[in-house]
PDB file of all heavy atoms in Angstrom:
ATOM      1  N   LEU A  70     100.194 101.962 115.515  1.00  0.00           N
ATOM      2  CA  LEU A  70     101.399 102.653 115.995  1.00  0.00           C
ATOM      3  C   LEU A  70     102.030 103.481 114.877  1.00  0.00           C
ATOM      4  O   LEU A  70     102.140 103.007 113.743  1.00  0.00           O
ATOM      5  CB  LEU A  70     102.398 101.592 116.490  1.00  0.00           C
ATOM      6  CG  LEU A  70     103.817 102.041 116.846  1.00  0.00           C
ATOM      7  CD1 LEU A  70     103.816 102.827 118.156  1.00  0.00           C
ATOM      8  CD2 LEU A  70     104.738 100.842 116.970  1.00  0.00           C
ATOM      9  N   LEU A  91     106.379  95.877 124.082  1.00  0.00           N
ATOM     10  CA  LEU A  91     105.001  95.572 123.686  1.00  0.00           C
ATOM     11  C   LEU A  91     104.932  94.287 122.866  1.00  0.00           C
ATOM     12  O   LEU A  91     104.061  93.447 123.088  1.00  0.00           O
ATOM     13  CB  LEU A  91     104.387  96.735 122.900  1.00  0.00           C
ATOM     14  CG  LEU A  91     103.993  97.958 123.734  1.00  0.00           C
ATOM     15  CD1 LEU A  91     103.490  99.070 122.823  1.00  0.00           C
ATOM     16  CD2 LEU A  91     102.944  97.599 124.788  1.00  0.00           C
ATOM     17  N   LEU A  95     102.823  91.461 124.837  1.00  0.00           N
ATOM     18  CA  LEU A  95     101.567  91.085 124.195  1.00  0.00           C
ATOM     19  C   LEU A  95     101.753  89.813 123.357  1.00  0.00           C
ATOM     20  O   LEU A  95     100.842  89.389 122.649  1.00  0.00           O
ATOM     21  CB  LEU A  95     101.028  92.244 123.348  1.00  0.00           C
ATOM     22  CG  LEU A  95     100.747  93.534 124.150  1.00  0.00           C
ATOM     23  CD1 LEU A  95     100.344  94.678 123.229  1.00  0.00           C
ATOM     24  CD2 LEU A  95      99.662  93.299 125.206  1.00  0.00           C
ATOM     25  N   LEU A 142     131.061  90.420 131.066  1.00  0.00           N
ATOM     26  CA  LEU A 142     131.994  90.104 132.137  1.00  0.00           C
ATOM     27  C   LEU A 142     133.118  91.113 132.021  1.00  0.00           C
ATOM     28  O   LEU A 142     133.557  91.427 130.905  1.00  0.00           O
ATOM     29  CB  LEU A 142     132.565  88.696 131.956  1.00  0.00           C
ATOM     30  CG  LEU A 142     131.725  87.509 132.436  1.00  0.00           C
ATOM     31  CD1 LEU A 142     132.434  86.214 132.072  1.00  0.00           C
ATOM     32  CD2 LEU A 142     131.516  87.579 133.947  1.00  0.00           C
ATOM     33  N   THR A 173     100.772  80.815 104.035  1.00  0.00           N
ATOM     34  CA  THR A 173     101.115  80.446 102.657  1.00  0.00           C
ATOM     35  C   THR A 173      99.921  79.761 101.971  1.00  0.00           C
ATOM     36  O   THR A 173      99.602  80.034 100.810  1.00  0.00           O
ATOM     37  CB  THR A 173     102.333  79.497 102.646  1.00  0.00           C
ATOM     38  OG1 THR A 173     103.371  80.086 103.416  1.00  0.00           O
ATOM     39  CG2 THR A 173     102.817  79.241 101.226  1.00  0.00           C
ATOM     40  N   LEU A 182     106.800  77.794 100.720  1.00  0.00           N
ATOM     41  CA  LEU A 182     107.352  78.459 101.910  1.00  0.00           C
ATOM     42  C   LEU A 182     108.860  78.224 101.946  1.00  0.00           C
ATOM     43  O   LEU A 182     109.321  77.081 101.900  1.00  0.00           O
ATOM     44  CB  LEU A 182     106.687  77.897 103.173  1.00  0.00           C
ATOM     45  CG  LEU A 182     107.167  78.500 104.500  1.00  0.00           C
ATOM     46  CD1 LEU A 182     106.903  80.009 104.574  1.00  0.00           C
ATOM     47  CD2 LEU A 182     106.497  77.792 105.687  1.00  0.00           C
ATOM     48  N   THR A 183     109.609  79.329 102.024  1.00  0.00           N
ATOM     49  CA  THR A 183     111.067  79.244 102.084  1.00  0.00           C
ATOM     50  C   THR A 183     111.532  79.523 103.509  1.00  0.00           C
ATOM     51  O   THR A 183     111.223  80.588 104.065  1.00  0.00           O
ATOM     52  CB  THR A 183     111.704  80.281 101.135  1.00  0.00           C
ATOM     53  OG1 THR A 183     111.226  80.048  99.805  1.00  0.00           O
ATOM     54  CG2 THR A 183     113.228  80.170 101.148  1.00  0.00           C
ATOM     55  N   ALA A 211     101.290  69.143 103.741  1.00  0.00           N
ATOM     56  CA  ALA A 211     101.873  68.415 102.609  1.00  0.00           C
ATOM     57  C   ALA A 211     101.604  69.143 101.285  1.00  0.00           C
ATOM     58  O   ALA A 211     102.313  68.939 100.294  1.00  0.00           O
ATOM     59  CB  ALA A 211     101.313  67.001 102.559  1.00  0.00           C
ATOM     60  N   THR A 239     111.492  83.231 108.841  1.00  0.00           N
ATOM     61  CA  THR A 239     112.852  83.340 109.360  1.00  0.00           C
ATOM     62  C   THR A 239     112.869  83.818 110.807  1.00  0.00           C
ATOM     63  O   THR A 239     111.822  84.165 111.360  1.00  0.00           O
ATOM     64  CB  THR A 239     113.694  84.264 108.447  1.00  0.00           C
ATOM     65  OG1 THR A 239     115.078  84.149 108.808  1.00  0.00           O
ATOM     66  CG2 THR A 239     113.263  85.717 108.553  1.00  0.00           C
ATOM     67  N   GLY A 278     109.143 102.298 108.720  1.00  0.00           N
ATOM     68  CA  GLY A 278     110.221 103.247 108.441  1.00  0.00           C
ATOM     69  C   GLY A 278     110.782 104.057 109.597  1.00  0.00           C
ATOM     70  O   GLY A 278     111.814 104.691 109.446  1.00  0.00           O
TER      71      GLY A 278
END
Side-chain angles (χ1 to χ4, degrees):
L70 171 73
L91 285 176
L95 300 175
L142 278 176
T173 308
L182 180 61
T183 302
T239 191

